[in-house]
Amino acid sequence: MKRRDILAALGAAPAALALPRLASAQAWPTAPIRMVVPYAAGGGIDAVARLVAKAMADDLGQSLVVDNRGGAGGMLGAELVARAAPDGYTVLFAGNPELTITPWLQKASYQPLVDFKPIELVSQSPSVIACLHSLGAATLSEALAAAKKRPGGVTVGTPGNGSPMHVAVELLRVQSGLDIVHVPYKGAGPATVALLGGEIAFALVGAPPLLPHITAGKISALAVTQPQRSPLLAQVPTIGEAAGLMKDVDFVAWYGLLTPAKAPAEAVDRLQKSAAAALAQPAVRERLQALGTDPVAMPAVPFAQRMKNESEQYRQIIQRFQIKAS
């Protein structure tokens, strides 16, 4: 090598060595983020995830790519994120079934309270006990009495075994003393269709698929299974108000953003601020309500505590009443 080439190479070395330091000084994130949704595309949680991902991408200056990984009641996608590199570039957009319920019903390869770091609880949808308007019942008590006289008795359809609504049905059976038949479907949509077709006396599902039929007068919303009324259905009483049952439990479906537990603090903090900013936008909040879910915007610490409390609540109910996944 000629002398001038050696000197040129030595001169370039400090600049080359400075490149990693310059890159590391850039604000996080410096690459697209994968948002894993543990359900198939097109469902309620998918619509919420894509809305939030778009708003967060605008704030972060990087795209959030939604990756639908359905299967095993949400556990496959959750496991994928639990085992992902903890760098903040893989996040989980999930609901309470795979985080606080299903792991008590079947063996999971991850521990929700250990393997994830909650970032932001985005929204929650009220679970609604509904019947056909043609049943002619104005209250839950009247509807239950009328259903007892129907062929097949008091049948209640839910989005499936292991859902919050399934657990609610089992608790309703015990507290009411009624001979309730739980009818699981593959999602809230099919359960709503079954109710409209008269296959079941009641549906206990999240609000989104019910809202158009409630507005159209085909379905009567009788009660929500939570301690307080929902802003989405402010005229609908809680089940405690309607029947004096399940006053201290909260059977809602919620959606939240989480990372692998060991994600760097810089990434977690930036993601939380971005999620909070997205949920503060009036247009985002209005769209969430149109999708049938109440904006919550609960930050990391109270979100983590809520997961812990709810997990223990479901553990006690599932074990006490020996609820099975199938």
Side-chain angles (χ1 to χ4, degrees):
M1 181 180 286
K2 295 181 179 180
R3 184 172 182 271
R4 65 174 179 272
D5 295 330
I6 295 173
L7 291 174
L10 289 173
L17 291 172
L19 287 175
R21 290 196 294 270
L22 179 62
S24 64
Q26 294 176 1
W28 190 94
T30 59
I33 298 165
R34 177 170 62 156
M35 178 185 283
V36 175
V37 177
Y39 294 94
I45 187 172
D46 181 61
V48 174
R50 291 177 186 276
L51 173 66
V52 173
K54 175 62 171 64
M56 289 181 64
D58 293 341
D59 177 73
L60 292 169
Q62 292 287 346
S63 60
L64 276 80
V65 181
V66 174
D67 184 3
N68 296 94
R69 295 296 184 97
M75 291 199 299
L76 290 184
E79 178 185 358
L80 176 67
V81 177
R83 304 292 173 253
D87 54 12
Y89 287 99
T90 300
V91 298
L92 178 67
F93 196 91
N96 43 349
E98 56 274 15
L99 295 172
T100 63
I101 304 173
T102 308
W104 296 116
L105 291 167
Q106 52 188 296
K107 186 176 181 180
S109 62
Y110 59 91
Q111 299 180 63
L113 302 181
V114 174
D115 293 332
F116 299 110
K117 183 177 292 185
I119 296 174
E120 187 92 351
L121 180 58
V122 171
S123 65
Q124 64 181 31
S125 295
S127 295
V128 184
I129 301 177
C131 70
L132 285 179
H133 187 68
S134 59
L135 191 63
T139 66
L140 177 59
S141 297
E142 291 178 4
L144 289 171
K148 287 171 64 176
K149 301 174 183 177
R150 278 175 43 121
V154 184
T155 50
V156 183
T158 74
N161 288 311
S163 64
M165 300 78 172
H166 174 201
V167 180
V169 167
E170 299 299 336
L171 191 58
L172 177 62
R173 184 209 313 273
V174 172
Q175 291 194 359
S176 69
L178 292 171
D179 183 16
I180 293 174
V181 178
H182 173 232
V183 185
Y185 290 88
K186 293 183 178 180
T192 302
V193 171
L195 177 64
L196 289 167
E199 296 177 20
I200 48 179
F202 299 94
L204 176 47
V205 299
L210 293 174
L211 288 176
H213 306 294
I214 293 172
T215 302
K218 295 179 181 179
I219 288 177
S220 297
L222 301 169
V224 293
T225 55
Q226 57 193 62
Q228 295 85 32
R229 295 193 182 196
S230 166
L232 285 176
L233 295 163
Q235 76 282 8
V236 179
T238 68
I239 192 169
E241 293 173 324
L245 302 171
M246 300 192 297
K247 294 181 179 180
D248 300 321
V249 290
D250 197 353
F251 293 108
V252 299
W254 52 253
Y255 311 128
L257 187 66
L258 308 94
T259 65
K262 295 182 180 180
E266 177 191 13
V268 173
D269 182 62
R270 185 69 183 91
L271 287 165
Q272 195 279 321
K273 289 179 179 177
S274 180
L279 293 170
Q281 296 178 30
V284 172
R285 298 179 68 85
E286 289 173 10
R287 181 59 185 149
L288 285 171
Q289 290 176 328
L291 290 171
T293 184
D294 292 320
V296 176
M298 180 183 289
V301 173
F303 181 16
Q305 187 61 50
R306 176 165 178 167
M307 275 184 59
K308 182 178 180 180
N309 294 345
E310 185 173 299
S311 180
E312 177 60 17
Q313 168 190 291
Y314 280 116
R315 182 194 69 79
Q316 291 182 10
I317 294 172
I318 288 166
Q319 292 181 356
R320 179 181 176 187
F321 302 114
Q322 299 182 337
I323 299 170
K324 305 296 182 184
S326 59

